[in-house]
Amino acid sequence: MAAQPSSNGYLVGSNLERVLRAGHFAVTAELGPPQSADGDVIRKKAALLKGCCDAVNITDNQTAIVRMSSIGAGAIVVQEGLEPVIQMTCRDRNRLAIQSDLLGAYALGMRNVLCLSGDHQSFGNHPSAKNVFDLDSIQLVQMVAAMRDAKVFQCGEPFKGQEPRFFVGAAAAPFAAPVEFRPYRLAKKVKAGANFIQTQLIYDIPAFKAFMEKVRQMGLHEQVYILAGVGPLKSPAMARYMKDSVPGLWVPDEFIERMEAAGAPWADIPKDQLSKEDKKARADAWKQEGICICIELIQQVREIEGVAGVHIMAIEWEEAVRPIVEGAGLLPRPDVSAAPAQEAHHD
Amino acid sequence: MIVAEQKSLDEMKSLIGEAQKVLVVGCGTCVTVCFAGGAREAAIVAASLRMATRLDGNAKAVTDVTVQRQCEWEYLDEIAEQVRAADVVLSLGCGIGVQAIAEHFPQAWVVPGLNTGFLGLPTEQGIWAERCAACGDCLLGRTGGICPIARCSKSLLNGPCGGSEGGHCEVNPDIPCAWQLIYDRLNSLGKLDLLLEIQPPKNWKAARDGGPRKIVREDLRLRAEEE
């Protein structure tokens, strides 16, 4: 079914949709809810991100570790004047629970959803849990788009009143196996109704360029807004872990070497003789270099045709987002609250 | 076949409890082929229990018998006398066999000697792998004869998630990525276009999610006068 714009010309009119439709290079960031019921954690993180991104992704029990719900945290984010992108996984809810949660999220003012399969529960803190996976991410995209455009529940019954209207997002993992199938899987997500895509972390620019070339050949960049995933490295160990242990993540040696070089002044001091101050100074030097690399990555992905923005994943390090966005020359963020939809370059 | 493996001797002993006369019942079908509960295994388990209980200072009378199929009444009728004489029946059948004995012999106390694993096949000597989840609505015709329900950790229907790497599933490097296998097979057969169709949400009613299942074949049922 074709996506039908609402009366103001936007599908949804979320800030993220307006920024993208106006042709601005979009910036989203990630906000991880706490492993507690403390809403102040969300407020503090929201304050760090306010003004430096167009929307913030609220993760949904990421890495299968129980945290405050994305919709609960999203409601606080709305109160704080930021726009959330609610992450919704298929791991913990069947089609009934997902739809019911989305009705609630819409009623609470949320307008963007990122549809994900979800990390397998064996990686989290409840590995003995039963998983759901009633739907997969592509079926979820289809369902959320149909809730908005056909105004029906997944079973085909119409809503009794206001339909939930979400700007529908999906993920792409350009470097997961089989790599040659990945652009086609992205095409399936577009066909299912995705409006925007946020990719897995990109460090290997040449490989991402090759992926985007295929995406352009298939014309996908004209049907969906693609936000390249980037994130600051925190230490050489983190860089090596990502390279060696995280599927679908390619980290070139060059970045590992740069992270090691940043810590070189402390490299000759035996581990047990490193003072607390030394360790802090070394961590700061690593973080500085990580932010530097991230800024360079943003500048490089920005040059690739078909990349509509970046999604910054500074995991449990929301403080890094502002210096990254500022360093990349992407501040201030555009005010598109009054932008007419007619200027849209898509559709 | 149904693939199962034996519980530990300690667990079997604790399941038997205070019973003195123990009947170990093997099964001649699936669990024979997967070396978990056939005639040979039943004899070894019975001998092990005799030895272990003697060493514990409470020697039990343990005998064994194996039927062709624990999951059919007519084969169970053959051991009715032995079951009646036993204080406890230790079934080395799959979960179906244990329940068939309980259902067929209302007076018998029956305990399981196996953990029933899955529907699968031996991939090489000594290794069995899951192949079918008995979902009740076979989709193998769309996936090149490789089942993503049984073999993808997330049972995804529309292709591999981001956790596929080097042919393996991120959940465990011992698990081949079902979607890599499907991709490679359809690729080699020139049928990759099958993967481009969006597969709709599955009807899980035909699976266990629809409640306990039953198949009724009217054409095979005995009419009242024939029974």
Side-chain angles (χ1 to χ4, degrees), chain A residues 196-231:
Chain A
F196 71 97
I197 297 291
Q198 290 172 321
T199 77
Q200 173 61 292
L201 286 165
I202 306 296
Y203 290 100
D204 190 328
I205 296 289
F208 184 58
K209 279 184 175 161
F211 171 80
M212 283 303 299
E213 194 182 337
K214 184 73 192 168
V215 165
R216 287 196 302 275
Q217 277 171 18
M218 296 170 73
L220 299 175
H221 66 305
E222 285 163 349
Q223 302 167 57
V224 73
Y225 298 104
I226 298 170
L227 278 62
V230 294

Side-chain angles (χ1 to χ4, degrees), chain A residues 1-281:
Chain A
M1 101 222 46
Q4 296 164 1
S6 58
S7 57
N8 63 6
Y10 288 108
L11 289 173
V12 171
S14 69
N15 189 59
L16 181 59
E17 183 188 9
R18 285 169 185 268
V19 166
L20 287 164
R21 293 270 300 258
H24 297 293
F25 190 74
V27 177
T28 56
E30 201 148 289
L31 188 159
Q35 297 181 57
S36 77
D38 184 357
D40 283 339
V41 175
I42 303 292
R43 291 182 192 96
K44 281 182 196 140
K45 289 186 173 191
L48 292 169
L49 298 172
K50 197 167 179 176
C52 52
C53 53
D54 306 313
V56 283
N57 280 46
I58 319 289
T59 49
D60 177 13
N61 291 334
Q62 78 269 29
T63 63
I65 287 170
V66 178
R67 294 167 181 276
M68 187 187 293
S69 71
S70 57
I71 292 172
I76 299 176
V77 165
V78 171
Q79 287 165 9
E80 295 302 295
L82 268 86
E83 180 172 286
V85 176
I86 300 306
Q87 296 198 178
M88 177 66 77
T89 70
C90 301
R91 179 193 56 230
D92 309 324
R93 303 171 188 81
N94 66 9
R95 59 191 91 179
L96 279 79
I98 292 175
Q99 291 179 97
S100 133
D101 279 354
L102 289 177
L103 297 185
Y106 184 83
L108 286 166
M110 284 156 246
R111 295 293 180 265
N112 312 297
V113 174
L114 184 74
C115 303
L116 304 165
S117 301
D119 295 318
H120 197 273
Q121 75 281 358
S122 60
F123 297 108
N125 59 357
H126 293 74
S128 58
K130 184 180 194 303
N131 63 37
V132 181
F133 296 117
D134 174 27
L135 305 178
D136 65 22
S137 58
I138 289 172
Q139 295 159 348
L140 176 57
V141 166
Q142 220 167 23
M143 183 176 83
V144 183
M147 289 169 92
R148 180 192 65 206
D149 299 330
K151 303 181 174 54
V152 291
F153 290 103
Q154 195 273 333
C155 64
E157 282 175 20
F159 291 109
K160 296 175 169 47
Q162 174 67 48
E163 77 279 9
R165 302 191 63 80
F166 289 104
F167 197 45
V168 184
F175 312 133
V179 171
E180 60 278 21
F181 184 60
R182 293 295 160 178
Y184 295 95
R185 192 152 192 269
L186 173 59
K188 281 181 91 165
K189 292 189 174 185
V190 172
K191 194 172 154 198
N195 305 120
F196 71 97
I197 297 291
Q198 290 172 321
T199 77
Q200 173 61 292
L201 286 165
I202 306 296
Y203 290 100
D204 190 328
I205 296 289
F208 184 58
K209 279 184 175 161
F211 171 80
M212 283 303 299
E213 194 182 337
K214 184 73 192 168
V215 165
R216 287 196 302 275
Q217 277 171 18
M218 296 170 73
L220 299 175
H221 66 305
E222 285 163 349
Q223 302 167 57
V224 73
Y225 298 104
I226 298 170
L227 278 62
V230 294
L233 297 165
K234 236 176 190 172
S235 65
M238 175 194 181
R240 273 191 297 270
Y241 173 78
M242 284 182 157
K243 180 189 162 83
D244 298 334
S245 306
V246 184
L249 257 182
W250 293 355
V251 183
D253 289 333
E254 167 204 347
F255 293 138
I256 296 172
E257 285 157 17
R258 277 179 62 179
M259 291 301 287
E260 274 163 356
W266 298 272
D268 295 331
I269 307 172
K271 244 186 194 164
D272 51 352
Q273 285 172 37
L274 271 175
S275 70
K276 223 175 158 185
E277 291 72 32
D278 284 335
K279 281 185 186 162
K280 192 184 174 305

Side-chain angles (χ1 to χ4, degrees), chain B residues 10-223:
Chain B
D10 278 346
E11 189 179 352
M12 290 187 205
K13 269 165 62 185
S14 108
L15 283 166
I16 290 165
E18 297 306 310
Q20 284 305 308
K21 284 180 279 179
V22 181
L23 177 66
V24 178
V25 182
C27 177
T29 309
C30 306
V31 293
T32 293
V33 188
C34 67
F35 301 95
R40 187 170 149 270
E41 289 76 27
I44 293 170
V45 165
S48 305
L49 285 170
R50 277 192 296 271
M51 255 186 281
T53 55
R54 194 179 309 135
L55 287 173
D56 292 343
N58 177 22
K60 293 182 193 289
V62 187
T63 53
D64 67 276
V65 63
T66 294
V67 297
Q68 182 60 41
R69 275 197 284 284
Q70 282 190 27
C71 56
E72 290 195 48
W73 309 135
E74 59 185 283
Y75 294 110
L76 291 180
D77 284 336
E78 296 167 6
I79 59 166
E81 275 315 306
Q82 285 147 289
V83 170
R84 211 159 288 143
D87 297 331
V88 65
V89 174
L90 177 70
S91 165
L92 294 193
C94 67
I96 306 166
V98 180
Q99 294 183 65
I101 291 173
E103 199 168 335
H104 203 55
F105 303 111
Q107 300 302 315
W109 182 244
V110 57
V111 296
L114 302 186
N115 292 318
T116 306
F118 48 81
L119 306 182
L121 53 74
T123 52
E124 57 186 275
Q125 176 92 22
I127 298 179
W128 289 265
E130 185 165 16
R131 287 292 181 268
C132 178
C135 74
D137 183 14
C138 192
L139 49 77
L140 287 168
R142 297 199 298 267
T143 56
I146 295 163
C147 181
I149 303 292
R151 300 172 70 180
C152 164
S153 298
K154 298 178 181 175
S155 298
L156 301 181
L157 294 178
N158 277 292
C161 74
S164 173
E165 197 177 42
H168 302 292
C169 171
E170 63 175 349
V171 168
N172 183 333
D174 286 340
I175 304 172
C177 169
W179 278 103
Q180 179 78 59
L181 296 173
I182 293 168
Y183 181 85
D184 291 344
R185 186 158 158 77
L186 293 181
N187 193 19
S188 72
L189 296 174
K191 289 182 184 293
L192 275 181
D193 53 310
L194 282 174
L195 294 187
L196 302 181
E197 278 170 44
I198 295 176
Q199 296 304 327
K202 189 173 167 63
N203 173 12
W204 291 104
K205 236 158 85 181
R208 241 300 295 169
D209 306 68
R213 294 168 284 178
K214 190 188 245 185
I215 291 174
V216 179
R217 283 278 303 274
E218 290 299 342
D219 58 325
L220 295 176
R221 297 188 76 188
L222 295 177
R223 283 190 293 272

